[in-house]
Amino acid sequence: MNADEINALPYRPCVGMMICNRDGNIFAGQRIDSQLDAWQMPQGGVEKGEEPRDAALRELEEETGIPADAVEILAETADWIPYDLPHYLVPKLWNGRYRGQKQRWFLMRFLGEDRQINIETEIPEFNRWCWLPPEELLSRIVPFKRDTYERVIREFQQQIA
């Protein structure tokens, strides 16, 4: 695919979850499909007819094992936040149908215990996880998502701590 073809593609609707613990640290998972240091917050697609909030709670459990009753939703981004994939990835992901994702982010306070987190899910996304302070999270994120993460952290900054 050339650049013009990629730029003409739509964004995939997606949700992202910033899960913070009582100490103000944020959940991050190392992607299972990457040999590189590729950490991210949980995220996933919005199914047809699904509300973003419902998608966020579904994806939360699918990716982390955390049930909806173990979190409190504190905030939601005001707008969808898009990001573009590097062009070499576009044909490899989602059958080349999307140029990237537009994401609605939810800030969630984790009310449970760490033992409730189980990344060994039916379709695992992560092979490791940890709690990170926001500034360290940014240093571990793949470069093409860094601007998105900076924006999300900035928007939720007041509610994190």
Side-chain angles (χ1 to χ4, degrees), residues 5-19:
E5 291 171 324
I6 290 171
N7 291 336
L9 293 171
Y11 288 104
R12 176 179 179 248
C14 179
V15 290
M17 290 74 66
M18 177 183 277
I19 308 158

Side-chain angles (χ1 to χ4, degrees), residues 20-76:
C20 61
N21 66 11
R22 292 172 182 91
D23 299 324
N25 292 321
I26 299 168
F27 178 97
Q30 165 65 39
R31 290 194 57 86
I32 202 166
D33 60 359
S34 178
Q35 303 300 319
L36 304 173
D37 204 27
W39 293 79
Q40 70 177 43
M41 293 183 277
Q43 63 178 49
V46 177
E47 296 175 359
K48 188 174 180 117
E50 187 176 37
E51 290 297 319
R53 182 185 186 96
D54 296 332
L57 293 171
R58 176 184 51 75
E59 287 287 342
L60 173 72
E61 188 158 10
E62 286 180 32
E63 294 192 8
T64 67
I66 298 172
D69 63 1
V71 296
E72 173 187 8
I73 297 178
L74 302 176
E76 177 181 342

Side-chain angles (χ1 to χ4, degrees), residues 122-138:
E122 185 176 331
I123 303 171
E125 296 271 336
F126 307 120
N127 58 20
R128 294 180 289 160
W129 70 272
C130 63
W131 295 107
L132 295 172
E135 58 279 357
E136 189 175 339
L137 174 67
L138 286 174

Side-chain angles (χ1 to χ4, degrees), residues 42 124 139 145-146:
S139 71
K145 291 184 182 180
R146 194 160 289 133

